[in-house]
Amino acid sequence: MTDAFSQDSEPPQTQKVHHRSHTEHSLSHNGAVALDLARSGFYVFPCKSQAGSSYDKTPLVPSWKETSTNDENTIRRWWDRFPHALVAIDCGKSSIVVIDADRHGPIDGVSNLKEILGSDLSLVGCPIVETAGNGLHLYFSQLSAEPFRNARGNLPPGIDVRGVGGYIIAPGSMRQSGQAWSLQEGSPNLYQERS
């Protein structure tokens, strides 16, 4: 069984993959990640992978809030068409909220987050993902009758909330350059948290 959040030694182009005891036709690395997430109940959709472009991480499907899915056939079609697309998780439909700490220029959201939560973020006990841009995503389940919405500006600079109405690039997503969103070592697995 391949853990979609671990690093493969194979390039992210097309590979034969075996996930969750299912043999797939040739599917890109990111396509396999999308299928694993969908099988765990996450709603996903493809996003552009254009580091440095203003279009980076923008949806490749219209109306992503309505279109995001965990339907395997739809996911196969998407990643057959866009094999290198990043995998986005629809936070609202997937019942998660993610604290998104970015590092852009002089603004260091990761340092700001550690000032709030302490230097050892593993003590929070949630899945933590290291982003391709050297930031962090902390994943939590949405349990409230009034779920957190997508928001920015209410926390220190560089820290946003991704909830209902927002999306996040999934752990396991990889750019053709090899840059990846990876589960932090020792962090709880996102799949186990859903069980």
Side-chain angles (χ1 to χ4, degrees), residues 102-138:
D102 290 321
R103 288 179 162 143
H104 295 299
I107 298 174
D108 188 342
V110 173
S111 291
N112 290 339
L113 185 63
K114 288 180 178 182
E115 283 184 29
I116 298 169
L117 298 177
S119 59
D120 186 0
L121 294 176
S122 68
L123 295 176
V124 176
C126 66
I128 299 174
V129 172
E130 297 171 353
T131 72
N134 201 26
L136 293 176
H137 293 162
L138 281 68

Side-chain angles (χ1 to χ4, degrees), residues 2-195:
T2 301
D3 181 353
F5 299 116
S6 63
Q7 294 296 318
D8 288 333
S9 57
E10 295 183 57
Q13 286 78 26
T14 309
Q15 58 183 325
K16 184 85 169 181
V17 292
H18 301 278
H19 289 268
R20 301 196 180 242
S21 304
H22 296 277
T23 302
E24 312 296 351
H25 70 283
S26 291
L27 192 63
S28 69
H29 170 89
N30 288 348
V33 168
L35 280 178
D36 270 359
L37 287 163
R39 290 175 179 151
S40 291
F42 292 94
Y43 287 76
V44 300
F45 61 94
C47 279
K48 292 181 182 178
S49 177
Q50 296 177 334
S53 163
S54 61
Y55 296 104
D56 188 39
K57 298 184 278 187
T58 59
L60 285 164
V61 294
S63 306
W64 65 266
K65 291 176 193 175
E66 290 78 33
T67 309
S68 64
T69 187
N70 58 11
D71 176 72
E72 292 190 22
N73 291 329
T74 302
I75 291 166
R76 287 178 198 280
R77 283 195 304 274
W78 283 341
W79 269 272
D80 280 343
R81 183 173 178 198
F82 308 113
H84 304 295
L86 300 173
V87 182
I89 299 175
D90 180 331
C91 296
K93 283 186 186 175
S94 299
S95 299
I96 59 171
V97 61
V98 178
I99 304 303
D100 179 6
D102 290 321
R103 288 179 162 143
H104 295 299
I107 298 174
D108 188 342
V110 173
S111 291
N112 290 339
L113 185 63
K114 288 180 178 182
E115 283 184 29
I116 298 169
L117 298 177
S119 59
D120 186 0
L121 294 176
S122 68
L123 295 176
V124 176
C126 66
I128 299 174
V129 172
E130 297 171 353
T131 72
N134 201 26
L136 293 176
H137 293 162
L138 281 68
Y139 283 72
F140 300 91
S141 295
Q142 285 268 32
L143 301 175
S144 172
E146 295 184 28
F148 288 97
R149 301 194 60 75
N150 208 48
R152 68 173 15 149
N154 296 324
L155 292 169
I159 305 173
D160 298 320
V161 176
R162 306 290 178 209
V164 174
Y167 64 89
I168 202 82
I169 301 302
S173 290
M174 186 180 293
R175 297 191 189 280
Q176 286 184 270
S177 64
Q179 295 174 305
W181 284 255
S182 304
L183 194 68
Q184 195 171 71
E185 188 174 342
S187 174
N189 189 299
L190 197 59
Y191 294 136
Q192 293 167 347
E193 292 295 298
R194 300 287 287 193
S195 303

